[in-house]
Amino acid sequence: MPVFFTEAADFGPFVDSLVRASRVVGPIAKRQKFVFGEVHSAQELRLDYDVTLLPPKKVFFPPKQAIASFDADRVDGEIVPIETVLLGVHPYDVRGIDMTDFLYREGNADWNYLAQREATTIVASCVQNVAPRAFWASMADGNQPQGHDAFLTQIEGGYVYETRTPAGEALLAHGNFREATADHIAAAGRANADALAQCQSQLPYSSAQIAATVRESFGDNAMWDVLAKDCFSCGSCNIVCPTCYCFDMRDTWNLDQKSGNRTRYWDACMTREFAAISMPGGGHENFRETHQERFRHRFMRKGAYLNEKLGGLACTGCGRCSAACTADIADPVKVINAIMEWS
Amino acid sequence: MAIDTHECECEKRESLFVPREARILHTHAPTSTEKHFTLQFVDGSPLKFQPGQILEVGVMGYGEIPIGIASSPTRTNTFEIVVRTVGRVSTAINSKSIGDSLWVRGPLGHGFDVEALRGNDVLIVAGGIGICPTRSLIQYIADQRDDFGRFVLFYGARDPLQLLFPEDRGVWRATHGIEYHETVDRADVSWTGNVGVITTLFRNTQLSAETRVIICGPPVMFEFVIRELDQAGIKRENIYVDLERRMKCGVGKCGHCQINDKYCCIDGPVFTYAEIHELEEAI
Ligand SMILES: Cc1cc2nc3c(=O)[nH]c(=O)nc-3n(C[C@H](O)[C@H](O)[C@H](O)COP(=O)(O)OP(=O)(O)OC[C@H]3O[C@@H](n4cnc5c(N)ncnc54)[C@H](O)[C@@H]3O)c2cc1C
Ligand code: SF4
Ligand code: SF4
Ligand code: FES
């Protein structure tokens, strides 16, 4: 696909034109941090962000998503995708989207996710500032992120826009683009390589090595006790993760007490009740009773079970969980390196 | 990461989570905590399923829960479930009566491999409410009795008042060709049968090593029953276990029912013991 260039001065009008044409979601500032939110004008868009609090999966898999509405004796499905341009997604987050695309599509296809996914055009962007806990440079395993329609890199004087799909190409009509020169393309290549070089933490093992060793470590209770010792079972590491996709389903009533919604909510396998079942007479049985078991399950999923299915760790290296964990024990680099080196 | 995310073979662009309306044709309450429902989809379509598959059954506004199908697919276009009052959703379901509706998704998961059972001796070990999902298989075998070898059925409950399906038990007991044994953990004055946990029934029953065995009951029961089966020389591949886990989606997405890397809702709830005996989270 061809590569284009737009002058710095033309970039704002491009974004503003997109905003007039459809819903645009992108990185915006929230106090000292960044979030993916609705962009109302080019001024709000912050492509210089390091990482957002929550990953962009929330566009397709919202923290709270109505599945069905009901009223007296009828139930209606609620698949209502909104045409959206998702702008400024970092490559590691595109990889997270690749994984959830696969996982929601395999077996029973989940159209409550996929319909919004298909209605969304994704413009990925170069990382200008690397978050302190990020380690995506060592997670790429040589593979390029796929699920995006165009890729944007800021270089001196403007932006390089690489189209990947016809949907990405269609957005060009909103701006003043010309074909990029060899110099522009080389500058974009350097900018992206620089970002990779800034990632500090490293995970120096292949995903196949990690899958095998993590799986084998299942019964190493002493090790899991040490690794999980300070866990509060708060679930924050799940909630901020771009590759976590577990959910709960609950019904809620409207004020009339006759109609309401069946809704799905993000859920977290690290929480105590996640695998608990109720027994008659008020008893409970919990299939993952201790926080060690739940901590282990998180790493079995990311490091072994989903890794084997996806052909790469179910971790993008975004570093959100490391930053979110009060006890500072969730960091996959520390945990996986510890598992690999445990003896 | 060599994953292909852009192809999709599925044509049906529908939600996996929207339930269908089923009308309650008949109910009765065999115990103080269980209710037995006969249901039919409002659109008249039959429920096509394998014995051992599950449904998500709900009341809108309260939610939905996994429930085993308690009738055989060999019978009419109605289907039956038995629900025990446990918490919020089961209480809402059990407050419904004839003419009301329940909202149903399914059938979900993998049931019993009836083809693998055909032609063989079969033992079913059902504890407590585990009799409900296995009833679909009991009826199935009873209805096609000539296709199966010897048929032994063990059923155990906490006390005589907890024993479900009184009419069925009468039939099973009297049916030539079903070796039916029942037991209770605690007897009352009226009880003249066996007293003791379900494994006590193995004492008086000789099993061939080729018997196919189905186990369904509370988690504590499995280990003890499997010990008996080991002694009888029954192979792991010939033992089927029907497992229970917390479930939400029923379609392999929500993560709640995961047992190591298997999902109870799509890989199970029926597993062979060979499949799961090395999964440390299984039993
Ligand atoms: C494969 C399978 C087959 C089952 N078959 C039957 C049956 O035939 N008859 C019957 O009465 N019960 C059956 N159960 C158990 C039944 O699903 C639970 O009793 C029911 O979910 C309790 O829900 P509640 O809302 O009333 O309880 P609450 O205590 O309010 O539970 C809250 C939520 O937790 C989850 N949950 C709690 N307990 C269980 C549990 N034991 N299993 C799964 N999820 C649970 C449910 O999502 C439930 O809505 C089966 C469970 C499984 C997994
Ligand atoms: S690892 Fe940290 S963030 Fe995750 S549940 Fe435990 S304490 Fe919470
Ligand atoms: S496990 Fe942590 S670092 Fe990996 S993708 Fe999830 S939040 Fe990011
Ligand atoms: S019930 Fe959701 S994954 Fe099995």
Side-chain angles (χ1 to χ4, degrees):
Chain A
M1 284 266 177
V3 184
F4 297 86
F5 176 77
T6 188
E7 299 286 344
D10 289 332
F11 187 70
F14 166 62
V15 174
D16 286 331
S17 170
L18 289 176
V19 165
R20 280 192 298 276
S22 86
R23 178 169 81 135
V24 175
V25 174
I28 57 178
K30 186 173 182 184
R31 297 196 201 92
Q32 305 306 312
K33 311 266 192 207
F34 298 96
V35 295
F36 277 98
E38 203 143 325
V39 176
H40 303 286
S41 78
Q43 276 171 341
E44 272 179 297
L45 186 72
R46 290 291 300 273
L47 292 178
D48 61 337
Y49 76 107
D50 52 359
V51 66
T52 54
L53 290 171
L54 293 178
K57 76 173 178 193
K58 69 177 187 179
V59 173
F60 327 109
F61 175 42
K64 176 181 173 198
Q65 180 178 35
I67 294 292
S69 62
F70 60 88
D71 189 4
D73 54 3
R74 40 176 309 179
V75 175
D76 295 300
E78 288 264 309
I79 297 186
V80 276
I82 308 168
E83 288 296 323
T84 301
V85 176
L86 176 55
L87 209 55
V89 182
H90 284 163
Y92 56 85
D93 272 342
V94 177
R95 287 165 49 82
I97 292 169
D98 285 348
M99 292 184 220
T100 33
D101 283 357
F102 176 88
L103 294 162
Y104 274 122
R105 205 159 260 171
E106 67 151 3
N108 300 301
D110 186 327
W111 284 100
N112 294 88
Y113 170 94
L114 294 170
Q116 182 58 47
R117 181 66 187 84
E118 291 198 348
T120 305
T121 303
I122 297 182
V123 180
S125 79
C126 171
V127 181
Q128 299 180 19
N129 290 301
V130 176
R133 304 296 295 260
F135 56 100
W136 33 264
S138 64
M139 301 306 287
D141 244 3
N143 286 300
Q144 292 301 313
Q146 297 180 43
H148 58 302
D149 301 287
F151 195 99
L152 194 64
T153 308
Q154 191 189 33
I155 60 169
E156 187 150 355
Y159 293 82
V160 172
Y161 186 97
E162 297 167 57
T163 58
R164 302 268 199 258
T165 68
E169 200 165 345
L171 300 187
L172 290 170
H174 290 275
N176 183 14
F177 289 91
R178 61 175 191 269
E179 213 162 307
T181 64
D183 282 351
H184 292 142
I185 295 171
R190 280 195 301 278
N192 285 298
D194 282 354
L196 272 174
Q198 282 177 54
C199 265
Q200 296 297 324
S201 316
Q202 290 288 328
L203 205 55
Y205 304 95
S206 75
S207 34
Q209 285 171 320
I210 293 171
T213 310
V214 169
R215 212 177 238 283
E216 274 164 29
S217 72
F218 192 98
D220 202 338
N221 292 321
M223 180 189 81
W224 292 109
D225 282 352
V226 170
L227 293 175
K229 188 164 70 63
D230 297 322
C231 180
F232 303 121
S233 299
C234 67
S236 305
C237 50
N238 295 135
I239 294 304
V240 299
C241 181
T243 73
C244 278
Y245 64 106
C246 290
F247 57 86
D248 187 9
M249 293 210 282
R250 290 203 294 276
D251 288 7
T252 45
W253 298 99
N254 297 332
L255 284 176
D256 63 10
Q257 292 290 305
K258 283 199 202 77
S259 62
N261 287 289
R262 179 156 293 171
T263 305
R264 74 167 159 196
Y265 298 84
W266 287 358
D267 208 346
C269 67
M270 295 294 282
T271 57
R272 197 158 273 121
E273 63 280 9
F274 187 85
I277 62 168
S278 312
M279 303 295 272
H284 288 277
E285 169 100 24
N286 195 337
F287 293 101
R288 261 177 245 110
E289 186 87 55
T290 66
H291 62 264
Q292 284 88 343
E293 289 169 310
R294 297 188 286 275
F295 190 92
R296 175 175 65 191
H297 184 64
R298 173 168 172 248
F299 281 94
M300 285 294 146
R301 265 180 80 106
K302 306 234 176 271
Y305 311 152
L306 294 177
N307 182 351
E308 287 157 8
K309 202 182 265 197
L310 298 165
L313 263 72
C315 170
T316 66
C318 68
R320 288 183 177 96
C321 56
S322 322
C325 179
T326 321
D328 196 10
I329 55 168
D331 186 344
V333 177
K334 288 192 196 156
V335 175
I336 292 174
N337 284 340
I339 298 170
M340 299 303 286
E341 285 148 29
W342 197 271
S343 52
Chain B
M1 194 180 44
I3 63 175
D4 186 358
T5 55
H6 290 86
E7 290 302 315
C8 186
E9 299 109 47
C10 40
E11 301 119 53
K12 272 178 122 187
R13 300 180 151 238
E14 286 167 9
S15 173
L16 297 165
F17 307 111
V18 176
R20 287 200 285 159
E21 187 175 12
R23 181 89 7 103
I24 300 171
L25 302 182
H26 181 74
T27 69
H28 79 111
T31 72
S32 59
T33 49
E34 272 100 13
K35 199 157 175 179
H36 185 153
F37 297 91
T38 305
L39 298 163
Q40 186 174 38
F41 283 120
V42 167
D43 64 15
S45 62
L47 178 72
K48 296 198 187 99
F49 65 98
Q50 283 282 312
Q53 281 191 292
I54 38 176
L55 301 171
E56 282 282 346
V57 180
V59 177
M60 298 312 292
Y62 292 87
E64 54 179 15
I65 55 175
I67 296 290
I69 305 169
S71 55
S72 167
T74 50
R75 304 186 177 186
T76 77
N77 65 343
T78 62
F79 55 98
E80 296 168 44
I81 57 171
V82 178
V83 178
R84 171 145 68 184
T85 306
V86 171
R88 186 176 153 81
V89 184
S90 51
T91 303
I93 293 172
N94 283 357
S95 69
K96 297 286 176 184
S97 28
I98 296 175
D100 291 341
S101 290
L102 293 175
W103 292 85
V104 175
R105 288 193 292 129
L108 304 170
H110 279 95
F112 301 105
D113 184 352
V114 285
E115 294 319 312
L117 303 178
R118 215 176 283 279
N120 289 294
D121 291 354
V122 176
L123 164 68
I124 294 179
V125 185
I129 199 153
I131 193 71
C132 303
T134 41
R135 184 172 178 258
S136 61
L137 183 64
I138 297 168
Q139 287 188 351
Y140 187 91
I141 295 176
D143 288 353
Q144 308 186 22
R145 188 64 196 85
D146 292 346
D147 289 2
F148 297 84
R150 190 178 162 211
F151 179 28
V152 184
L153 173 55
F154 289 176
Y155 174 32
R158 248 179 308 140
D159 57 60
L161 288 175
Q162 302 295 320
L163 285 162
L164 296 169
F165 307 120
E167 300 84 7
D168 290 28
R169 280 159 41 229
V171 173
W172 299 335
R173 209 177 281 122
T175 305
H176 188 69
I178 301 183
E179 293 173 46
Y180 174 63
H181 304 273
E182 60 187 16
T183 185
V184 293
D185 296 351
R186 283 187 308 274
D188 59 16
V189 283
S190 68
W191 185 254
T192 55
N194 192 74
V195 180
V197 293
I198 202 157
T199 44
T200 59
L201 295 174
F202 282 92
R203 279 182 214 147
N204 305 319
T205 313
Q206 291 301 314
L207 297 171
S208 84
E210 287 307 309
T211 307
R212 307 298 195 258
V213 184
I214 289 94
I215 315 173
C216 185
V220 290
M221 196 184 88
F222 289 95
E223 209 182 303
F224 295 102
V225 171
I226 284 168
R227 218 175 280 169
E228 299 287 338
L229 300 177
D230 274 345
Q231 275 172 20
I234 292 169
K235 289 204 263 327
R236 285 174 176 154
E237 308 75 277
N238 292 342
I239 302 172
Y240 297 85
V241 293
D242 192 348
L243 298 183
E244 185 169 347
R245 284 296 183 277
R246 187 182 183 94
M247 286 187 188
K248 290 294 178 177
C249 71
V251 292
K253 303 294 182 198
C254 77
H256 282 275
C257 72
Q258 214 175 351
I259 303 169
N260 290 67
D261 55 356
K262 302 234 185 269
Y263 293 87
C264 191
C265 65
I266 50 173
D267 302 314
V270 177
F271 296 92
T272 66
Y273 185 53
E275 267 179 284
I276 55 134
H277 85 279
E278 282 186 357
L279 300 185
E280 309 206 21
E281 293 184 339
I283 290 179

